[in-house]
Amino acid sequence: MKIVPRIKQQPERLIDENGLRVDGRRVDELRKMKMEVGVLKQADGSAYLEQGKTKVFVAVYGPRELHPRHLALPDRALLRCTYRMASFSVEERKSPAPSRREIELSKVIRQALEPAVFLERFPKTAIDVFIEIIQADGGTRCASITAASLALADAGIPMSDLVAAVAVGKVDGHIVLDINDIEDKYGQGDMPVALMPRKKQITLLQLDGKWTPEEFRQGLELAIRGCEQIYAMQKTALRKRYLEVREEVLREGE
């Protein structure tokens, strides 16, 4: 039997005459999202996130003793993030060896999370964040930041705020919210943004492609609105987890 590989071809138009994108969304719509907290019992904190077809697991361990000890910081904890894509997460099998992009995104995610975490409360320790992309369909760095923030909160790590993230893109001359893989590949640019919504502080802002000053302002405003919507979902997921833990404690006390 002859196996014919699937080939993704660039669509003629990414936004149709009715203003709908390739997946049926309006330009200012997020993909459908699902968030769960406390999904991995072996970890100190964990989270699972679905954003469209992108699926992410995050596990947090710590604060814990740092090895080797010479890496320890005398005045704060060392936050370490490891971003990995599973070999089966993309259409063409990915090598299991860490790629240059994975190493770079591990650093980007860490820098986006650090401003929210009270690292100074845990000197000479490490907080490890492990991110596993099990299915990728665009926006994986932003989905990872959102899920990692939930996992840190689930681990009881003190934070000044949650961090929510989303990427906006320039597609067929339109500024759109929460780009998927096709829009990322065939659009004219993308801008990932991470935000601490309560503090109104941006922790990540990257830009790719050619944008006019007005397009940049429009994209940033759209990203902030998207982050605020994601922030509301993060709080709902954490509240649900808190109520589940509360019920477990009450049952054990009976």
Side-chain angles (χ1 to χ4, degrees):
M1 182 178 68
K2 184 179 180 180
I3 299 175
V4 180
R6 291 185 299 168
I7 300 175
K8 269 190 179 179
Q9 294 183 344
Q10 179 177 358
E12 292 184 7
R13 298 180 64 178
L14 294 172
I15 299 180
D16 67 18
E17 63 277 4
N18 297 314
L20 297 178
R21 297 152 69 179
V22 289
D23 55 9
R25 287 181 293 150
R26 297 284 181 186
V27 295
D28 60 349
E29 282 186 68
L30 291 168
R31 287 176 287 179
K32 186 177 180 181
M33 297 185 70
K34 175 184 178 182
M35 300 181 191
E36 293 184 40
V37 180
V39 294
L40 303 173
K41 301 304 179 185
Q42 299 90 340
D44 294 322
S46 60
Y48 171 71
L49 184 144
E50 288 184 17
Q51 193 160 353
K53 296 178 182 178
T54 293
K55 300 179 181 181
V56 185
F57 275 104
V58 180
V60 170
Y61 296 86
R64 59 186 180 180
E65 187 177 359
L66 180 60
H67 296 285
R69 291 186 179 182
H70 74 268
L71 295 176
L73 302 174
D75 58 342
R76 61 189 177 93
L78 179 65
L79 182 65
R80 299 187 292 193
C81 293
T82 304
Y83 167 100
R84 292 286 171 84
M85 297 183 72
S87 297
F88 53 81
S89 64
V90 288
E91 287 194 351
E92 294 185 11
R93 182 184 180 275
K94 178 199 164 293
S95 168
S99 67
R100 182 176 178 180
R101 179 177 180 272
E102 287 171 310
I103 295 170
E104 176 190 349
L105 288 184
S106 297
K107 180 180 179 182
V108 167
I109 292 165
R110 173 180 59 79
Q111 291 174 335
L113 294 169
E114 276 183 333
V117 184
F118 291 120
L119 297 173
E120 67 277 6
R121 296 191 182 182
F122 307 101
K124 301 181 181 180
T125 65
I127 300 172
D128 290 302
V129 180
F130 297 97
I131 300 158
E132 189 78 13
I133 308 297
I134 60 171
Q135 186 166 289
D137 187 44
T140 59
R141 87 186 63 187
C142 291
S144 298
I145 292 167
T146 299
S149 178
L150 282 173
L152 285 164
D154 183 49
I157 307 295
M159 303 168 69
S160 60
D161 199 2
L162 294 169
V163 183
V166 72
V168 295
K170 186 177 177 181
V171 177
D172 286 354
H174 297 268
I175 306 303
V176 303
L177 179 65
D178 190 14
I179 56 175
N180 58 30
D181 185 57
I182 293 176
E183 293 170 332
D184 186 23
K185 286 178 178 174
Y186 302 120
Q188 292 86 54
D190 68 285
M191 181 168 65
V193 177
L195 176 74
M196 291 193 287
R198 186 177 63 83
K199 299 189 73 176
K200 304 296 182 185
Q201 181 178 337
I202 292 173
T203 64
L204 170 69
L205 177 59
Q206 297 177 304
L207 185 68
D208 178 61
K210 293 182 179 180
W211 300 57
T212 67
E214 179 55 35
E215 287 172 338
F216 172 77
R217 285 191 291 270
Q218 181 185 348
L220 185 57
E221 290 173 2
L222 188 60
I224 289 172
R225 291 200 299 271
C227 287
E228 288 171 346
Q229 293 176 54
I230 293 170
Y231 184 59
M233 289 184 261
Q234 287 176 305
K235 291 191 291 184
T236 298
L238 285 170
R239 191 177 298 114
K240 179 182 176 183
R241 174 61 178 161
Y242 168 78
L243 292 175
E244 289 173 351
V245 172
R246 181 175 179 272
E247 288 299 320
E248 290 175 6
V249 171
L250 289 175
R251 282 197 298 270
E252 290 175 359
E254 291 177 354

